[in-house]
Every structure is written in C-alpha cells, then in structure tokens.
Amino acid sequence: MSDSDLIKLYSKRILALAADIPHLGTLDGAQGTSKQRSPLCGSTVTATLKMQDGKIADFAQNVKACALGQASSSILGAHVIGQDRATIAAARDALVKMLKEDGPTPPAPFDELEVLRPAREFKNRHPSILLAWEATLAAMDEAQAAA
C-alpha cells in the first residue's frame, strides 16, 4: 500500500466521522443486543436497541474498530433511530455491493457511506466496515423474536 493510497483511504472526513460516533455506550433495558467480531482484525461492535412498532426507538453501540469501522458506525448511528429492519438491511446490502462490486452508493439517509468507497480496494477492511450493520441487524432480530 503506497502512501498516497493510505492518504486516500484515511481521508479527513473518515477520521472526523471516526472521532464523533453517535450513541456510544450501552442501553439499559435493551430488547436486542448483538456483539459482532471480525476474526481478521479483531474489531468488535456491540449494538443494543429498543424497538417500537417495528422501528428502532433507542440505540447504543460500543465500537472497538479501525477508523473505517468507526466511520461506518458513525454514519449508521447518525441515522439509525426510526429505521426499520428492511431499511437497515438494504443499506447494508448496498454497502456490500459498493465495496465488493463498485456498486452505487447506498441510498439516503445512509448515502454518506460513499466516503468509504476507497476501501473497496482493501478487502481486508470490509469486515470491520460491516460490523455495525451486522450487529444492528442481529440485535433487531433478537428484539423482534422476543416481542
């Protein structure tokens, strides 16, 4: 990896997102909790949430990941409240296609994930980028199963 590749990958915007992750911490009385870990790099994200009428009503996340995973978690956290499972899954699926197939940017409100497009060349970073999405979906599944 050249210095210019690293500069492009770790842009100022990615670093700013990583430094300001919404909903950090844990959530008392959560209906769903999921901890996801990337075996490749050891990054982890734990998502806890409460659901109401099929949508996320409250959310918290504990993020121990690289700057790319943190940036992805930040974008998710900024828009997760009020979203249903289909919307979160569609954004995750679009993110996967953007990273693996150079597909289109995920739809709003998650279109800021475009900032992670340079990571498509770095397949070893993809699992960390997807952790928050996988943890959130698994926590939603747990909450819906308990309802």
Side-chain angles (χ1 to χ4, degrees), residues 17 34-37 44-49 56 59-63 65 68-81 83-96 98-99 105-116 125-141:
L17 286 163
S34 176
K35 181 177 183 177
Q36 299 290 314
R37 180 181 177 276
T44 62
V45 174
T46 303
T48 56
L49 51 80
I56 297 173
F59 177 82
Q61 58 185 340
N62 186 349
V63 181
L68 298 171
Q70 291 175 29
S72 182
S73 296
S74 182
I75 294 165
L76 172 69
H79 304 288
V80 73
I81 302 293
Q83 302 298 333
D84 62 18
R85 191 186 193 292
T87 301
I88 300 296
R92 186 267 326 262
D93 293 348
L95 177 58
V96 168
M98 183 183 84
L99 292 172
T105 301
F110 300 109
D111 49 338
E112 192 170 10
L113 288 167
E114 173 65 27
V115 74
L116 294 167
R125 305 286 204 239
H126 296 181
S128 181
I129 291 169
L130 295 169
L131 280 177
W133 301 87
E134 300 299 344
T136 300
L137 288 166
M140 292 178 88
D141 290 345

